[in-house]
PDB file of all heavy atoms in Angstrom:
ATOM      1  N   ALA N 323      -8.368  17.829   2.748  1.00  0.00           N
ATOM      2  CA  ALA N 323      -8.390  18.355   4.158  1.00  0.00           C
ATOM      3  C   ALA N 323      -9.534  17.826   4.984  1.00  0.00           C
ATOM      4  O   ALA N 323      -9.406  17.445   6.138  1.00  0.00           O
ATOM      5  CB  ALA N 323      -8.498  19.970   4.019  1.00  0.00           C
ATOM      6  N   ALA N 324     -10.735  17.799   4.401  1.00  0.00           N
ATOM      7  CA  ALA N 324     -11.918  17.240   5.102  1.00  0.00           C
ATOM      8  C   ALA N 324     -11.787  15.808   5.597  1.00  0.00           C
ATOM      9  O   ALA N 324     -12.010  15.397   6.616  1.00  0.00           O
ATOM     10  CB  ALA N 324     -13.206  17.523   4.274  1.00  0.00           C
ATOM     11  N   HIS N 325     -11.251  14.973   4.572  1.00  0.00           N
ATOM     12  CA  HIS N 325     -10.915  13.690   4.872  1.00  0.00           C
ATOM     13  C   HIS N 325      -9.872  13.416   5.986  1.00  0.00           C
ATOM     14  O   HIS N 325      -9.997  12.693   6.892  1.00  0.00           O
ATOM     15  CB  HIS N 325     -10.482  12.926   3.652  1.00  0.00           C
ATOM     16  CG  HIS N 325     -10.175  11.412   3.773  1.00  0.00           C
ATOM     17  ND1 HIS N 325     -10.959  10.515   3.953  1.00  0.00           N
ATOM     18  CD2 HIS N 325      -8.872  10.879   3.896  1.00  0.00           C
ATOM     19  CE1 HIS N 325     -10.414   9.296   4.137  1.00  0.00           C
ATOM     20  NE2 HIS N 325      -9.086   9.578   4.095  1.00  0.00           N
ATOM     21  N   SER N 326      -8.824  14.198   5.815  1.00  0.00           N
ATOM     22  CA  SER N 326      -7.673  14.138   6.794  1.00  0.00           C
ATOM     23  C   SER N 326      -8.069  14.532   8.206  1.00  0.00           C
ATOM     24  O   SER N 326      -7.641  13.983   9.286  1.00  0.00           O
ATOM     25  CB  SER N 326      -6.451  15.032   6.359  1.00  0.00           C
ATOM     26  OG  SER N 326      -5.950  14.484   5.085  1.00  0.00           O
ATOM     27  N   CYS N 327      -9.026  15.538   8.249  1.00  0.00           N
ATOM     28  CA  CYS N 327      -9.531  16.045   9.612  1.00  0.00           C
ATOM     29  C   CYS N 327     -10.301  14.877  10.217  1.00  0.00           C
ATOM     30  O   CYS N 327     -10.206  14.814  11.501  1.00  0.00           O
ATOM     31  CB  CYS N 327     -10.447  17.158   9.438  1.00  0.00           C
ATOM     32  SG  CYS N 327      -9.571  18.747   9.248  1.00  0.00           S
ATOM     33  N   GLN N 328     -10.943  13.992   9.541  1.00  0.00           N
ATOM     34  CA  GLN N 328     -11.593  12.842  10.204  1.00  0.00           C
ATOM     35  C   GLN N 328     -10.548  12.003  10.829  1.00  0.00           C
ATOM     36  O   GLN N 328     -10.893  11.278  11.857  1.00  0.00           O
ATOM     37  CB  GLN N 328     -12.466  12.135   9.211  1.00  0.00           C
ATOM     38  CG  GLN N 328     -13.681  12.888   8.668  1.00  0.00           C
ATOM     39  CD  GLN N 328     -14.508  12.201   7.757  1.00  0.00           C
ATOM     40  OE1 GLN N 328     -14.001  11.236   7.066  1.00  0.00           O
ATOM     41  NE2 GLN N 328     -15.727  12.504   7.644  1.00  0.00           N
ATOM     42  N   LEU N 329      -9.440  11.783  10.219  1.00  0.00           N
ATOM     43  CA  LEU N 329      -8.432  10.895  10.695  1.00  0.00           C
ATOM     44  C   LEU N 329      -7.520  11.473  11.672  1.00  0.00           C
ATOM     45  O   LEU N 329      -6.973  10.828  12.579  1.00  0.00           O
ATOM     46  CB  LEU N 329      -7.558  10.377   9.465  1.00  0.00           C
ATOM     47  CG  LEU N 329      -8.297   9.765   8.307  1.00  0.00           C
ATOM     48  CD1 LEU N 329      -7.410   9.449   7.185  1.00  0.00           C
ATOM     49  CD2 LEU N 329      -8.974   8.481   8.791  1.00  0.00           C
ATOM     50  N   HIS N 330      -7.302  12.841  11.609  1.00  0.00           N
ATOM     51  CA  HIS N 330      -6.361  13.511  12.395  1.00  0.00           C
ATOM     52  C   HIS N 330      -7.001  14.823  12.990  1.00  0.00           C
ATOM     53  O   HIS N 330      -6.539  15.895  12.789  1.00  0.00           O
ATOM     54  CB  HIS N 330      -5.188  13.962  11.533  1.00  0.00           C
ATOM     55  CG  HIS N 330      -3.899  13.111  11.896  1.00  0.00           C
ATOM     56  ND1 HIS N 330      -3.473  12.905  13.124  1.00  0.00           N
ATOM     57  CD2 HIS N 330      -3.047  12.543  11.002  1.00  0.00           C
ATOM     58  CE1 HIS N 330      -2.380  12.262  13.081  1.00  0.00           C
ATOM     59  NE2 HIS N 330      -2.049  12.039  11.822  1.00  0.00           N
ATOM     60  N   PRO N 331      -7.977  14.677  13.872  1.00  0.00           N
ATOM     61  CA  PRO N 331      -8.730  15.876  14.395  1.00  0.00           C
ATOM     62  C   PRO N 331      -7.808  16.750  15.159  1.00  0.00           C
ATOM     63  O   PRO N 331      -8.067  17.972  15.154  1.00  0.00           O
ATOM     64  CB  PRO N 331      -9.775  15.220  15.178  1.00  0.00           C
ATOM     65  CG  PRO N 331      -9.373  13.835  15.456  1.00  0.00           C
ATOM     66  CD  PRO N 331      -8.622  13.420  14.299  1.00  0.00           C
ATOM     67  N   GLU N 332      -6.675  16.254  15.696  1.00  0.00           N
ATOM     68  CA  GLU N 332      -5.808  17.038  16.574  1.00  0.00           C
ATOM     69  C   GLU N 332      -5.111  18.049  15.604  1.00  0.00           C
ATOM     70  O   GLU N 332      -4.460  19.060  16.177  1.00  0.00           O
ATOM     71  CB  GLU N 332      -4.833  16.260  17.327  1.00  0.00           C
ATOM     72  CG  GLU N 332      -3.783  15.591  16.568  1.00  0.00           C
ATOM     73  CD  GLU N 332      -4.147  14.322  15.757  1.00  0.00           C
ATOM     74  OE1 GLU N 332      -5.248  13.928  15.839  1.00  0.00           O
ATOM     75  OE2 GLU N 332      -3.203  13.767  15.001  1.00  0.00           O
ATOM     76  N   ASN N 333      -5.008  17.827  14.372  1.00  0.00           N
ATOM     77  CA  ASN N 333      -4.288  18.712  13.375  1.00  0.00           C
ATOM     78  C   ASN N 333      -5.220  19.589  12.684  1.00  0.00           C
ATOM     79  O   ASN N 333      -4.871  20.172  11.598  1.00  0.00           O
ATOM     80  CB  ASN N 333      -3.324  17.968  12.415  1.00  0.00           C
ATOM     81  CG  ASN N 333      -2.296  18.733  11.904  1.00  0.00           C
ATOM     82  OD1 ASN N 333      -1.792  19.690  12.565  1.00  0.00           O
ATOM     83  ND2 ASN N 333      -1.716  18.318  10.752  1.00  0.00           N
ATOM     84  N   LYS N 334      -6.490  19.709  13.105  1.00  0.00           N
ATOM     85  CA  LYS N 334      -7.532  20.359  12.300  1.00  0.00           C
ATOM     86  C   LYS N 334      -7.286  21.760  11.928  1.00  0.00           C
ATOM     87  O   LYS N 334      -7.547  22.208  10.827  1.00  0.00           O
ATOM     88  CB  LYS N 334      -8.852  20.245  13.113  1.00  0.00           C
ATOM     89  CG  LYS N 334     -10.083  20.833  12.267  1.00  0.00           C
ATOM     90  CD  LYS N 334     -11.400  20.667  13.099  1.00  0.00           C
ATOM     91  CE  LYS N 334     -12.516  21.184  12.236  1.00  0.00           C
ATOM     92  NZ  LYS N 334     -13.813  20.954  12.939  1.00  0.00           N
ATOM     93  N   GLU N 335      -6.666  22.567  12.948  1.00  0.00           N
ATOM     94  CA  GLU N 335      -6.369  23.933  12.561  1.00  0.00           C
ATOM     95  C   GLU N 335      -5.573  24.166  11.433  1.00  0.00           C
ATOM     96  O   GLU N 335      -5.826  24.956  10.595  1.00  0.00           O
ATOM     97  CB  GLU N 335      -5.854  24.633  13.872  1.00  0.00           C
ATOM     98  CG  GLU N 335      -5.610  26.224  13.577  1.00  0.00           C
ATOM     99  CD  GLU N 335      -5.160  26.843  14.905  1.00  0.00           C
ATOM    100  OE1 GLU N 335      -4.975  26.162  15.924  1.00  0.00           O
ATOM    101  OE2 GLU N 335      -4.691  27.985  14.742  1.00  0.00           O
ATOM    102  N   TYR N 336      -4.545  23.302  11.319  1.00  0.00           N
ATOM    103  CA  TYR N 336      -3.596  23.411  10.141  1.00  0.00           C
ATOM    104  C   TYR N 336      -4.231  22.841   8.979  1.00  0.00           C
ATOM    105  O   TYR N 336      -4.108  23.485   7.845  1.00  0.00           O
ATOM    106  CB  TYR N 336      -2.271  22.655  10.492  1.00  0.00           C
ATOM    107  CG  TYR N 336      -1.219  22.780   9.402  1.00  0.00           C
ATOM    108  CD1 TYR N 336      -0.558  23.950   9.151  1.00  0.00           C
ATOM    109  CD2 TYR N 336      -1.074  21.781   8.582  1.00  0.00           C
ATOM    110  CE1 TYR N 336       0.472  24.030   8.201  1.00  0.00           C
ATOM    111  CE2 TYR N 336      -0.079  21.734   7.466  1.00  0.00           C
ATOM    112  CZ  TYR N 336       0.621  22.977   7.331  1.00  0.00           C
ATOM    113  OH  TYR N 336       1.570  23.078   6.300  1.00  0.00           O
ATOM    114  N   LEU N 337      -4.872  21.709   8.972  1.00  0.00           N
ATOM    115  CA  LEU N 337      -5.353  21.118   7.799  1.00  0.00           C
ATOM    116  C   LEU N 337      -6.556  21.948   7.140  1.00  0.00           C
ATOM    117  O   LEU N 337      -6.682  21.862   5.953  1.00  0.00           O
ATOM    118  CB  LEU N 337      -6.114  19.712   8.250  1.00  0.00           C
ATOM    119  CG  LEU N 337      -5.047  18.645   8.643  1.00  0.00           C
ATOM    120  CD1 LEU N 337      -5.743  17.465   9.241  1.00  0.00           C
ATOM    121  CD2 LEU N 337      -4.113  18.146   7.505  1.00  0.00           C
ATOM    122  N   MET N 338      -7.209  22.789   7.973  1.00  0.00           N
ATOM    123  CA  MET N 338      -8.427  23.449   7.420  1.00  0.00           C
ATOM    124  C   MET N 338      -8.034  24.904   7.090  1.00  0.00           C
ATOM    125  O   MET N 338      -9.006  25.761   6.900  1.00  0.00           O
ATOM    126  CB  MET N 338      -9.495  23.412   8.456  1.00  0.00           C
ATOM    127  CG  MET N 338     -10.107  22.048   8.708  1.00  0.00           C
ATOM    128  SD  MET N 338     -10.696  21.155   7.223  1.00  0.00           S
ATOM    129  CE  MET N 338     -12.195  22.019   6.937  1.00  0.00           C
ATOM    130  N   ILE N 339      -6.806  25.278   6.902  1.00  0.00           N
ATOM    131  CA  ILE N 339      -6.464  26.671   6.484  1.00  0.00           C
ATOM    132  C   ILE N 339      -7.072  27.113   5.241  1.00  0.00           C
ATOM    133  O   ILE N 339      -7.688  28.088   5.163  1.00  0.00           O
ATOM    134  CB  ILE N 339      -4.908  26.783   6.381  1.00  0.00           C
ATOM    135  CG1 ILE N 339      -4.141  26.716   7.758  1.00  0.00           C
ATOM    136  CG2 ILE N 339      -4.532  27.963   5.664  1.00  0.00           C
ATOM    137  CD1 ILE N 339      -2.678  26.622   7.709  1.00  0.00           C
ATOM    138  N   THR N 340      -7.030  26.244   4.194  1.00  0.00           N
ATOM    139  CA  THR N 340      -7.617  26.638   2.863  1.00  0.00           C
ATOM    140  C   THR N 340      -9.215  26.695   2.991  1.00  0.00           C
ATOM    141  O   THR N 340      -9.795  27.591   2.361  1.00  0.00           O
ATOM    142  CB  THR N 340      -7.294  25.608   1.905  1.00  0.00           C
ATOM    143  OG1 THR N 340      -5.885  25.544   1.764  1.00  0.00           O
ATOM    144  CG2 THR N 340      -7.823  25.926   0.424  1.00  0.00           C
ATOM    145  N   ALA N 341      -9.768  25.839   3.824  1.00  0.00           N
ATOM    146  CA  ALA N 341     -11.245  25.742   3.982  1.00  0.00           C
ATOM    147  C   ALA N 341     -11.898  27.137   4.458  1.00  0.00           C
ATOM    148  O   ALA N 341     -13.071  27.380   4.176  1.00  0.00           O
ATOM    149  CB  ALA N 341     -11.710  24.645   4.721  1.00  0.00           C
ATOM    150  N   LYS N 342     -11.132  27.927   5.190  1.00  0.00           N
ATOM    151  CA  LYS N 342     -11.698  29.136   5.788  1.00  0.00           C
ATOM    152  C   LYS N 342     -12.172  30.022   4.705  1.00  0.00           C
ATOM    153  O   LYS N 342     -13.228  30.707   4.913  1.00  0.00           O
ATOM    154  CB  LYS N 342     -10.580  29.898   6.556  1.00  0.00           C
ATOM    155  CG  LYS N 342     -10.166  29.140   7.791  1.00  0.00           C
ATOM    156  CD  LYS N 342      -8.974  29.792   8.569  1.00  0.00           C
ATOM    157  CE  LYS N 342      -8.591  29.160   9.749  1.00  0.00           C
ATOM    158  NZ  LYS N 342      -7.394  29.751  10.426  1.00  0.00           N
ATOM    159  N   THR N 343     -11.576  30.159   3.529  1.00  0.00           N
ATOM    160  CA  THR N 343     -12.178  30.887   2.476  1.00  0.00           C
ATOM    161  C   THR N 343     -12.294  30.080   1.214  1.00  0.00           C
ATOM    162  O   THR N 343     -13.001  30.541   0.260  1.00  0.00           O
ATOM    163  CB  THR N 343     -11.162  32.153   2.127  1.00  0.00           C
ATOM    164  OG1 THR N 343      -9.880  31.643   1.780  1.00  0.00           O
ATOM    165  CG2 THR N 343     -11.115  33.111   3.292  1.00  0.00           C
ATOM    166  N   GLY N 344     -11.746  28.956   1.142  1.00  0.00           N
ATOM    167  CA  GLY N 344     -11.708  28.178  -0.129  1.00  0.00           C
ATOM    168  C   GLY N 344     -13.023  27.723  -0.668  1.00  0.00           C
ATOM    169  O   GLY N 344     -13.313  27.913  -1.891  1.00  0.00           O
ATOM    170  N   TRP N 345     -13.966  27.315   0.190  1.00  0.00           N
ATOM    171  CA  TRP N 345     -15.312  26.961  -0.341  1.00  0.00           C
ATOM    172  C   TRP N 345     -15.968  28.187  -0.917  1.00  0.00           C
ATOM    173  O   TRP N 345     -16.676  28.001  -1.984  1.00  0.00           O
ATOM    174  CB  TRP N 345     -16.105  26.352   0.843  1.00  0.00           C
ATOM    175  CG  TRP N 345     -15.834  25.032   1.192  1.00  0.00           C
ATOM    176  CD1 TRP N 345     -15.245  24.550   2.275  1.00  0.00           C
ATOM    177  CD2 TRP N 345     -15.938  23.791   0.296  1.00  0.00           C
ATOM    178  NE1 TRP N 345     -15.008  23.179   2.353  1.00  0.00           N
ATOM    179  CE2 TRP N 345     -15.486  22.719   1.064  1.00  0.00           C
ATOM    180  CE3 TRP N 345     -16.440  23.561  -0.927  1.00  0.00           C
ATOM    181  CZ2 TRP N 345     -15.344  21.328   0.572  1.00  0.00           C
ATOM    182  CZ3 TRP N 345     -16.326  22.309  -1.450  1.00  0.00           C
ATOM    183  CH2 TRP N 345     -15.893  21.209  -0.659  1.00  0.00           C
ATOM    184  N   ARG N 346     -15.951  29.310  -0.248  1.00  0.00           N
ATOM    185  CA  ARG N 346     -16.485  30.478  -0.787  1.00  0.00           C
ATOM    186  C   ARG N 346     -16.002  30.918  -2.194  1.00  0.00           C
ATOM    187  O   ARG N 346     -16.737  31.239  -3.120  1.00  0.00           O
ATOM    188  CB  ARG N 346     -16.380  31.673   0.185  1.00  0.00           C
ATOM    189  CG  ARG N 346     -17.102  32.942  -0.149  1.00  0.00           C
ATOM    190  CD  ARG N 346     -17.067  33.999   0.909  1.00  0.00           C
ATOM    191  NE  ARG N 346     -15.819  34.529   1.123  1.00  0.00           N
ATOM    192  CZ  ARG N 346     -15.039  34.373   2.237  1.00  0.00           C
ATOM    193  NH1 ARG N 346     -15.487  33.582   3.250  1.00  0.00           N
ATOM    194  NH2 ARG N 346     -13.977  34.988   2.384  1.00  0.00           N
ATOM    195  N   HIS N 347     -14.651  30.787  -2.323  1.00  0.00           N
ATOM    196  CA  HIS N 347     -14.026  31.163  -3.570  1.00  0.00           C
ATOM    197  C   HIS N 347     -14.538  30.212  -4.762  1.00  0.00           C
ATOM    198  O   HIS N 347     -14.787  30.591  -5.751  1.00  0.00           O
ATOM    199  CB  HIS N 347     -12.507  31.178  -3.446  1.00  0.00           C
ATOM    200  CG  HIS N 347     -11.929  32.198  -2.561  1.00  0.00           C
ATOM    201  ND1 HIS N 347     -12.584  33.391  -2.204  1.00  0.00           N
ATOM    202  CD2 HIS N 347     -10.785  32.288  -1.940  1.00  0.00           C
ATOM    203  CE1 HIS N 347     -11.885  34.102  -1.456  1.00  0.00           C
ATOM    204  NE2 HIS N 347     -10.761  33.484  -1.244  1.00  0.00           N
TER     205      HIS N 347
END
Side-chain angles (χ1 to χ4, degrees):
H325 176 77
S326 297
C327 277
Q328 292 182 336
L329 304 174
H330 252 314
E332 75 282 358
N333 203 25
K334 183 174 181 178
E335 184 178 351
Y336 182 76
L337 292 171
M338 296 302 284
I339 287 172
T340 301
K342 290 176 182 176
T343 57
W345 284 114
R346 185 169 72 248
H347 295 338

